[in-house]
Amino acid sequence: EDQVTQSPEALRLQEGESSSLNCSYTVSGLRGLFWYRQDPGKGPEFLFTLYSAGEEKEKERLKATLTKKESFLHITAPKPEDSATYLCAVQTSGTYKYIFGTGTRLKVLA
Amino acid sequence: DVKVTQSSRYLVKRTGEKVFLECVQDMDHENMFWYRQDPGLGLRLIYFSYDVKMKEKGDIPEGYSVSREKKERFSLILESASTNQTSMYLCASSLRGGTGNTIYFGEGSWLTVV
């Protein structure tokens, strides 16, 4: 069964303390892996799309990487405004469906 | 900039009322989706549409119906609202075909059924 698992469920960091969020996936064939940021009460905001193992994308303090089994969202020197829930999703081959993880709640303390 | 617009951000409806949630996208996407998001349950797909007038049931279609009369517009209908349909509803859209297609979300509609 296709599955996406995110860890940790929650993460508290001090401002400036770099860390990584994990998204592990088990799918029959990967068409794409997507990262989103979601603020409380709002819809998910698109961050990155990754298509194949070895690919990396960067935006400000965020960097997403992809292997054949998992993706990491690296947060370098985070700030309080980076506090949010980060969602990972995959689209599998031969389907329109997107499979979402349950997210990592990140809190960055000043 | 991509744009998925949900017309109502906050709604309060009574049990048994018929509820319409409207969504419009301006990206000429073929695919449109309705999800609901509940704490601890994540995102669950209600319905999907891959073309005008075409629809497919998602994982939790019971109690809902949809309408897609124009490519840019996808409506979610709660025929007779119940309290267990209190939730945040998210509309999304994506291109069809090719490699992985990014799915874009609207701001969400918070529905409370009393």
Side-chain angles (χ1 to χ4, degrees):
Chain A
E1 183 186 343
D2 295 333
Q3 198 168 344
V4 174
T5 304
Q6 290 189 247
S7 62
E9 286 187 19
L11 181 63
R12 290 167 71 93
L13 298 173
Q14 291 294 322
E15 185 173 3
E17 180 186 0
S18 302
S19 188
S20 297
L21 313 183
N22 178 263
C23 172
S24 298
Y25 61 92
T26 307
V27 296
S28 49
L30 182 71
R31 288 179 66 186
L33 185 141
F34 313 93
W35 282 99
Y36 297 86
R37 170 195 170 119
Q38 187 173 23
D39 292 303
K42 294 192 173 182
E45 175 190 346
F46 169 68
L47 293 173
F48 302 110
T49 300
L50 302 166
Y51 295 105
S52 56
E55 191 174 358
E56 299 182 353
K57 294 266 179 80
E58 278 189 77
K59 179 181 178 181
E60 296 180 357
R61 294 179 292 281
L62 300 176
K63 179 179 176 179
T65 62
L66 181 64
T67 73
K68 288 188 177 180
K69 292 183 179 180
E70 58 193 347
S71 177
F72 291 95
L73 185 66
H74 306 278
I75 303 177
T76 302
K79 299 182 177 181
E81 53 262 42
D82 295 322
S83 297
T85 296
Y86 290 85
L87 292 172
C88 164
V90 300
Q91 188 182 27
T92 60
S93 299
T95 178
Y96 61 83
K97 282 192 175 182
Y98 295 79
I99 304 166
F100 287 85
T102 51
T104 294
R105 293 190 312 278
L106 173 66
K107 178 76 172 175
V108 181
L109 305 170
Chain B
D1 259 4
V2 297
K3 194 77 174 173
V4 178
T5 303
Q6 295 181 232
S7 57
S8 302
R9 285 281 284 139
Y10 302 96
L11 305 95
V12 179
K13 298 291 181 180
R14 294 193 180 278
T15 300
E17 274 193 81
K18 191 169 186 176
V19 181
F20 294 86
L21 299 180
E22 307 285 344
C23 175
V24 176
Q25 52 95 1
D26 66 358
M27 296 166 282
D28 203 34
H29 285 170
E30 294 89 358
N31 297 337
M32 294 190 75
F33 307 80
W34 276 106
Y35 292 88
R36 65 177 281 178
Q37 187 175 34
D38 300 286
L41 297 177
L43 282 154
R44 293 183 291 169
L45 180 64
I46 305 172
Y47 266 98
F48 159 71
S49 170
Y50 56 90
D51 204 345
V52 175
K53 298 190 186 293
M54 306 306 289
K55 62 185 179 185
E56 285 193 17
K57 292 179 180 179
D59 300 316
I60 51 162
E62 297 79 17
Y64 303 94
S65 62
V66 290
S67 172
R68 193 164 180 203
E69 297 296 320
K70 293 185 177 182
K71 188 176 184 180
E72 68 270 19
R73 190 177 297 269
F74 193 34
S75 302
L76 180 69
I77 303 154
L78 287 67
E79 296 290 342
S80 178
S82 63
T83 54
N84 63 12
Q85 292 178 310
T86 292
S87 186
M88 172 140 107
Y89 290 87
L90 289 163
C91 176
S93 72
S94 73
L95 287 169
R96 187 175 74 212
T99 52
N101 297 308
T102 304
I103 181 170
Y104 296 93
F105 288 89
E107 282 286 283
S109 297
W110 283 95
L111 172 66
T112 302
V113 183
V114 297

